[in-house]
Amino acid sequence: MDYPEKQTTKSRALSVLRKTKLKTRMILTLGLLGTLQTVLIGSFAGYYLSESLYEEIGERALMVAKTVAATPAVIEGVRTRNIPALNQLARRLTETNEALFIVIGDHQAIRLAHPDPTRIGYSMGDDDGDYGQQALQHGQAYVARAKGSLGESMRGKAPVSTPETGNIIGIVSVGYSLEQVENTIRRYNFVLYGVVGLMLLFTVFSAIIIAGRFKRAIFGLEPEEIARLFQERDATLQSVREGIIAVNRDGVITTANRAAYETLELPENEPLAGKPILDILPESSLMSVLQTGQPDFDREVWLRGRQMVVNRLPVRQGEQIIGVVASFRRRDELDQVSRQLTRIQQYADTLRSQTHEYSNKLHTIAGLIQIGATEEALNLIGSEVSDHQALLHLLLEAVPDPIIAGCLLGKYNRAKEMGLRLEIDPGSQMADLPAELPRDQLVSVLGNLIDNALEATLHKAGNGGRVSLSMTDLGHELIFEVEDEGPGVPGPDRARIFERGFSTKGEKHGIGLHLVQQFVDRWGGSVTVENLSECGSRFTLYLPKTPMAGGHP
């Protein structure tokens, strides 16, 4: 009937224990364990010490009893029943061996020698009920613990036999007082329990130090907080769309989220944790980050035959590197976002430049009409229409791909807005484009080259400057040439102009040409830069119609 009450008490105890701080719980747990171990060890040591002393005293009594029983004077005294001689000998042997007593009896266990003369002539079994039958009948020496007339003692009993015939003619009993043994045990126990007490204090002190260091190692968090943080971390990892893999200092995977399985197309029923990273991704560079400790951001790499954008960050504990965390995403996902942004930017640039240009032209035409210069207004309208018609006709004939044609039309309008001219070589031809060539990336590369040329021309030549574009798809390559009237590229800078972050324009530049070089490398093409004899520079882009093996984006 009291079962629910017991359950309630147990629940309350568990609730109180959960509310107790981790440090307090560790001190109590380690202290109790240390106390229990110390008490058990001390009890065992005390028991073992007592039994060892008792056994030692028994062995000593037995040895003395055998020695006395084999003494010729004792054998002769028992044979002749010389009681005075036996008592005198027994007293002397008792003092010599520091025994409590030495009692000598005949073959019927009748005392012939005893420390108390009044007990001579009586049976040796009167004290403890042991008549020495094991020694008298079987000839065996043995040890017994009993309480006799002289107090509790450990006794060794041995038969007395004649050396000629071996007949048993008597018995010798040698006793040592157990009070002396117990005094010795108490003295040893005092030292033992003192050591046990010191060990207990040391255990409690060690528990306090260990608990403090452990609490600092987990940043002062309680177990419940650690569990909550672990759950939050796991939920966060699984919610991230990027693949995440963490390895320890030995290069063994410790963490991998669901996106990592999906991105690398690994079977989800085979856990990655506990496996060496090089067994899963032999081409991984995480081990180099472990060795150098240098983080790596936005690095494009190939993993399991797929192009990835990877970030690698070392995990440090103090000055020591204890692991590396890598996040990665497939490049085509980023390309899709980039493609959308590129198209939006192109449309915005085209609309903005056309709006600005036509607004100025409309204002000019309106002014000419108001002042009555109708002929000039018609000529302006005709030239505008003819220029655009010529450009549109050229693009339709030379560049049937609408995406590239739209890009060039936008850049043409952008140049006019900047006060520059973008001239496309009438002999250009770009119709034989391979189907697998990503149009968005080609537009991005071509747009970057034209934008750089426009900026360089505007900086050097100002209004009226000219940028020329020629294209050809003859042969096995697609060739694009962009010439500007800028300051040119100094010789020492030509080797670095395609590096990420390098630019002669200042900070926040040096990205466009780097993207050009990356695309060219992936497709298996090349890009060159040279200064023109008059002024400016020429960038030439070569793209094979059939990409090199392993060079496809």
Side-chain angles (χ1 to χ4, degrees):
M1 297 298 295
D2 60 344
Y3 181 74
E5 182 178 353
K6 290 182 179 179
Q7 286 293 100
T8 303
T9 304
K10 182 179 180 180
S11 300
R12 288 177 181 174
L14 291 175
S15 178
V16 171
L17 183 61
R18 283 194 293 266
K19 292 180 180 179
T20 307
K21 296 293 184 181
L22 176 62
K23 185 175 181 180
T24 304
R25 275 185 275 175
M26 289 189 65
I27 293 174
L28 291 175
T29 303
L30 293 176
L32 289 175
L33 287 176
T35 301
L36 180 62
Q37 291 177 351
T38 304
V39 170
L40 289 177
I41 293 174
S43 301
F44 175 77
Y47 173 80
Y48 183 76
L49 176 63
S50 300
E51 292 301 316
S52 297
L53 287 174
Y54 285 132
E55 184 178 353
E56 182 181 349
I57 293 298
E59 291 295 329
R60 183 177 179 183
L62 183 61
M63 182 184 65
V64 173
K66 290 180 177 180
T67 302
V68 172
T71 302
V74 172
I75 296 173
E76 183 63 25
V78 171
R79 186 188 317 185
T80 60
R81 303 184 67 83
N82 189 348
I83 294 176
L86 287 175
N87 278 275
Q88 183 178 3
L89 180 60
R91 284 194 296 272
R92 187 170 69 251
L93 292 175
T94 300
E95 294 176 357
T96 302
N97 292 279
E98 298 180 349
L100 176 64
F101 62 83
I102 294 179
V103 177
I104 302 174
D106 60 11
H107 65 283
Q108 295 180 346
I110 302 299
R111 298 189 184 95
L112 300 177
H114 194 279
D116 184 2
T118 61
R119 293 184 175 271
I120 296 175
Y122 294 95
S123 174
M124 295 177 65
D126 291 344
D127 297 343
D128 53 13
D130 180 11
Y131 294 91
Q133 299 303 317
Q134 187 174 348
L136 292 174
Q137 294 181 5
H138 304 287
Q140 296 177 352
Y142 64 96
V143 177
R145 179 176 176 177
K147 185 175 183 179
S149 59
L150 298 179
E152 189 173 12
S153 60
M154 186 69 72
R155 306 176 179 188
K157 297 186 178 182
V160 179
S161 57
T162 59
E164 298 85 1
T165 62
N167 295 328
I168 298 174
I169 60 175
I171 184 173
V172 173
S173 177
V174 178
Y176 282 88
S177 174
L178 290 183
E179 183 179 357
Q180 182 181 0
V181 176
E182 291 172 355
N183 289 335
T184 302
I185 292 175
R186 280 194 292 270
R187 186 171 67 252
Y188 284 147
N189 283 342
F190 178 78
V191 177
L192 177 63
Y193 292 145
V195 173
V196 169
L198 292 176
M199 290 177 62
L200 181 59
L201 292 176
F202 177 76
T203 300
V204 174
F205 182 71
S206 300
I208 295 174
I209 294 177
I210 293 173
R213 290 188 175 180
F214 183 79
K215 195 68 182 293
R216 287 193 297 272
I218 60 175
F219 304 101
L221 298 175
E222 295 296 318
E224 295 78 10
E225 295 174 327
I226 295 176
R228 185 171 62 254
L229 288 175
F230 177 80
Q231 293 173 347
E232 292 176 357
R233 188 213 68 159
D234 188 64
T236 302
L237 286 176
Q238 300 305 331
S239 66
V240 174
R241 294 186 59 187
E242 287 193 349
I244 296 178
I245 290 180
V247 301
N248 59 17
R249 70 185 68 187
D250 298 320
V252 177
I253 298 174
T254 58
T255 302
N257 67 347
R258 188 180 299 107
Y261 286 88
E262 296 174 353
T263 304
L264 299 174
E265 296 184 2
L266 296 171
E268 294 189 11
N269 57 352
E270 295 182 7
L272 295 180
K275 296 182 178 179
I277 184 65
L278 296 180
D279 290 352
I280 305 300
L281 299 172
E283 60 272 65
S284 173
S285 299
L286 288 181
M287 300 305 294
S288 63
V289 179
L290 271 174
Q291 296 172 358
T292 62
Q294 297 297 322
D296 201 1
F297 298 103
D298 298 329
R299 179 61 62 91
E300 295 185 12
V301 299
W302 286 86
L303 295 175
R304 296 178 67 88
R306 300 168 182 84
Q307 190 175 21
M308 307 283 181
V309 178
V310 180
N311 296 299
R312 306 183 186 97
L313 190 67
V315 180
R316 300 179 183 273
Q317 187 175 35
E319 297 297 327
Q320 189 176 11
I321 300 174
I322 61 174
V324 178
V325 176
S327 63
F328 49 91
R329 175 176 288 188
R330 293 179 62 171
R331 174 61 190 265
D332 53 7
E333 296 181 12
L334 299 178
D335 287 344
Q336 182 179 3
V337 176
S338 176
R339 182 162 55 248
Q340 295 172 351
L341 293 176
T342 299
R343 289 177 179 174
I344 292 173
Q345 183 179 5
Q346 290 171 357
Y347 296 151
D349 289 344
T350 302
L351 292 174
R352 179 167 53 83
S353 60
Q354 288 182 346
T355 300
H356 182 73
E357 179 183 359
Y358 285 117
S359 177
N360 291 333
K361 294 294 176 64
L362 287 174
H363 289 157
T364 303
I365 294 171
L368 290 174
I369 293 174
Q370 288 176 359
I371 65 175
T374 55
E375 186 176 352
E376 287 79 2
L378 291 173
N379 291 333
L380 179 59
I381 293 173
S383 65
E384 182 65 25
V385 171
S386 64
D387 289 345
H388 274 81
Q389 287 296 329
L391 177 62
L392 291 175
H393 180 74
L394 172 62
L395 292 178
L396 289 174
E397 290 291 333
V399 188
D401 189 280
I403 296 178
I404 299 178
C407 171
L408 296 178
L409 181 59
K411 296 304 178 183
Y412 175 84
N413 293 324
R414 172 63 177 163
K416 294 185 66 175
E417 184 184 33
M418 297 172 64
L420 305 173
R421 289 176 297 139
L422 175 60
E423 297 180 353
I424 301 177
D425 186 357
S428 295
Q429 181 70 28
M430 191 55 62
D432 189 15
L433 291 172
E436 62 270 22
L437 179 64
R439 302 300 192 267
D440 59 315
Q441 296 186 29
L442 178 59
V443 164
S444 176
V445 168
L446 190 57
N448 279 325
L449 292 177
I450 295 175
D451 286 340
N452 280 347
L454 291 175
E455 291 180 9
T457 301
L458 181 64
H459 177 73
K460 177 68 175 178
N463 291 337
R466 181 178 60 87
V467 173
S468 300
L469 170 65
S470 64
M471 303 172 289
T472 180
D473 58 1
L474 298 177
H476 300 289
E477 291 183 315
L478 307 176
I479 302 174
F480 299 84
E481 289 187 355
V482 180
E483 297 182 2
D484 61 53
E485 295 180 350
V489 181
D493 294 339
R494 292 180 194 171
R496 302 184 56 198
I497 196 171
F498 295 102
E499 293 181 5
R500 182 183 181 90
F502 178 81
S503 176
T504 59
K505 305 173 186 177
E507 296 182 357
K508 300 183 179 179
H509 292 83
I511 303 298
L513 292 180
H514 174 68
L515 295 176
V516 172
Q517 185 67 61
Q518 281 191 318
F519 172 75
V520 168
D521 291 341
R522 291 196 303 271
W523 191 257
S526 62
V527 59
T528 62
V529 58
E530 58 183 324
N531 289 332
L532 302 177
S533 57
E534 299 84 2
C535 65
S537 57
R538 177 190 296 121
F539 285 81
T540 305
L541 177 65
Y542 301 91
L543 296 176
K545 293 181 180 180
T546 302
M548 296 171 56
H552 199 288

